[in-house]
Amino acid sequence: MGVDRRQRASAALSLSCLSLTFSITAFSSSYWCEGTRKVAKPMCNELRGGTHCIRFNTSGSPNDSNVVQYIWETGDDKFVDRKFHAGIWYSCEELLIGDGEKCRSFISLTPPADRGVLWLSIAAELLYIALLLMGVALMLIEICYSISVLDGLKLNAFAAIFTVLAGLLGMVAHMMYTTVFQMTVNLGPEDWRPQTWDYGWSYCLAWGSFACCMASSVTTMNRYTKTILEFKYKQKKLERSLKAKSKSSDPEKAWTMYINTIHSTTGDLVHHLTDIHSPTTPTTFAELNNIPMAHCEEYC
């Protein structure tokens, strides 16, 4: 049972660390959404030649718009697809000539009516990461330090609460960003609106972080619930045994038997019994906080 407990604790910690790594990577990247934007080719003399420009021969000025009339609606050869990718902080698109990218703040591209939602999404993402950090810290303390059973259960319960809250905040943050991006595609600046787009690897990483976070919270809560149920079962079993024996013995002897049973058992989570008369001079009660972790692993 001790090995099983350590395995579940390691699994929960591994999932939380994986979720934290995914969330930080996704939050700092700009590949939540990727796509292409169709832009008109410039005149070749503006770019001093190149493949992504418009060429034509005329006796007049080479850039005289009255000489050649372009039908932009159907002239696909007069356009070029430029790739872009956007995240929470930046939106970058490739340059027509040469290597490199031109980046702009995604917050400045968002419609003013939706910027409040975007800031809420950013705040939720930061809280998501902070709660994940707290959950990981509590799990590390529980695993790496020798603490009592009661303190371990408290840490386990708080870690489960933090990971559940983190998962809920992460889900809300991802959904809010998705809504803001779709509104920006429809109402954003004309020189940014994409022709085609889809979600990128950072977006998948963010939802993968949410899945790992919820799996970790379920594993942690399962450990806590299983431990509590086992303790309650052992306690009731011990109480029934003591009640049966106390009928044929005096209360002083029953109390001594109760104390000896506590010391002989490997760390049952025992509460004060209310149905056995307390002796005149009770023996010092074994406090839960003094029960070593090594003696309680078979119930965890």
Side-chain angles (χ1 to χ4, degrees):
M1 296 300 291
V3 176
D4 181 55
R5 177 188 175 278
R6 285 192 293 270
Q7 288 177 347
R8 283 179 285 159
S10 300
L13 180 61
S14 300
L15 288 170
S16 293
C17 292
L18 194 63
S19 175
L20 183 62
T21 304
F22 285 174
S23 63
I24 294 176
T25 304
F27 184 70
S28 58
S29 69
S30 60
Y31 285 87
W32 286 62
C33 298
E34 300 178 83
T36 57
R37 191 171 72 86
K38 186 172 288 187
V39 297
K41 293 180 181 178
M43 300 300 178
C44 284
N45 69 326
E46 297 178 4
L47 301 176
R48 297 180 182 179
T51 57
H52 299 297
C53 60
I54 300 174
R55 301 173 183 272
F56 60 89
N57 297 322
T58 178
S59 57
S61 175
N63 288 330
D64 190 356
S65 59
N66 295 323
V67 177
V68 179
Q69 181 179 1
Y70 295 105
I71 304 175
W72 300 105
E73 291 80 4
T74 58
D76 289 338
D77 57 328
K78 306 303 185 293
F79 292 88
V80 62
D81 290 333
R82 186 156 58 175
K83 295 180 180 179
F84 84 98
H85 54 88
I88 293 179
W89 300 105
Y90 295 103
S91 175
C92 301
E93 52 187 81
E94 63 180 356
L95 299 174
L96 286 177
I97 301 300
D99 299 330
E101 294 179 329
K102 174 186 176 183
C103 296
R104 290 180 284 180
S105 171
F106 182 74
I107 299 174
S108 63
L109 299 173
T110 308
D114 298 316
R115 287 178 186 172
V117 181
L118 180 60
W119 282 113
L120 284 176
S121 174
I122 293 174
E125 288 284 352
L126 291 173
L127 283 175
Y128 171 53
I129 294 174
L131 289 173
L132 275 177
L133 276 171
M134 295 177 69
V136 169
L138 291 175
M139 292 179 189
L140 283 173
I141 292 173
E142 183 189 0
I143 291 176
C144 298
Y145 293 93
S146 298
I147 54 179
S148 63
V149 178
L150 187 59
D151 290 338
L153 286 175
K154 290 179 181 178
L155 290 176
N156 197 260
F158 279 113
I161 292 172
F162 285 142
T163 50
V164 169
L165 290 178
L168 294 177
L169 279 173
M171 178 184 65
V172 171
H174 304 342
M175 293 176 67
M176 284 194 295
Y177 176 80
T178 305
T179 303
V180 170
F181 184 83
Q182 291 176 351
M183 295 299 295
T184 307
V185 169
N186 296 326
L187 304 175
E190 289 285 347
D191 63 342
W192 178 85
R193 296 182 190 177
Q195 218 73 26
T196 60
W197 64 276
D198 202 353
Y199 297 109
W201 61 266
S202 294
Y203 188 80
C204 299
L205 207 62
W207 282 107
S209 171
F210 165 75
C212 291
C213 176
M214 296 309 294
S216 174
S217 65
V218 169
T219 305
T220 307
M221 189 64 72
N222 175 264
R223 288 177 55 216
Y224 176 81
T225 306
K226 187 173 185 293
T227 303
I228 291 296
L229 290 177
E230 287 180 351
F231 279 144
K232 287 184 177 180
Y233 172 75
K234 295 290 184 180
Q235 177 189 353
K236 290 181 179 179
K237 186 177 179 181
L238 178 60
E239 288 178 0
R240 286 195 299 266
S241 176
L242 290 174
K243 285 180 182 179
K245 293 180 180 180
S246 64
K247 293 180 180 179
S248 57
S249 61
D250 54 54
E252 184 75 30
K253 185 177 180 181
W255 181 264
T256 305
M257 183 191 310
Y258 174 68
I259 296 300
N260 293 335
T261 309
I262 291 176
H263 287 289
S264 61
T265 355
T266 56
D268 289 293
L269 183 61
V270 182
H271 301 286
H272 292 285
L273 296 177
T274 58
D275 51 354
I276 297 180
H277 296 288
S278 178
T280 307
T281 309
T283 311
T284 304
F285 189 75
E287 300 224 354
L288 290 174
N289 287 330
N290 296 328
I291 300 177
M293 176 65 75
H295 297 301
C296 304
E297 290 188 342
E298 67 170 315
Y299 306 112
C300 303

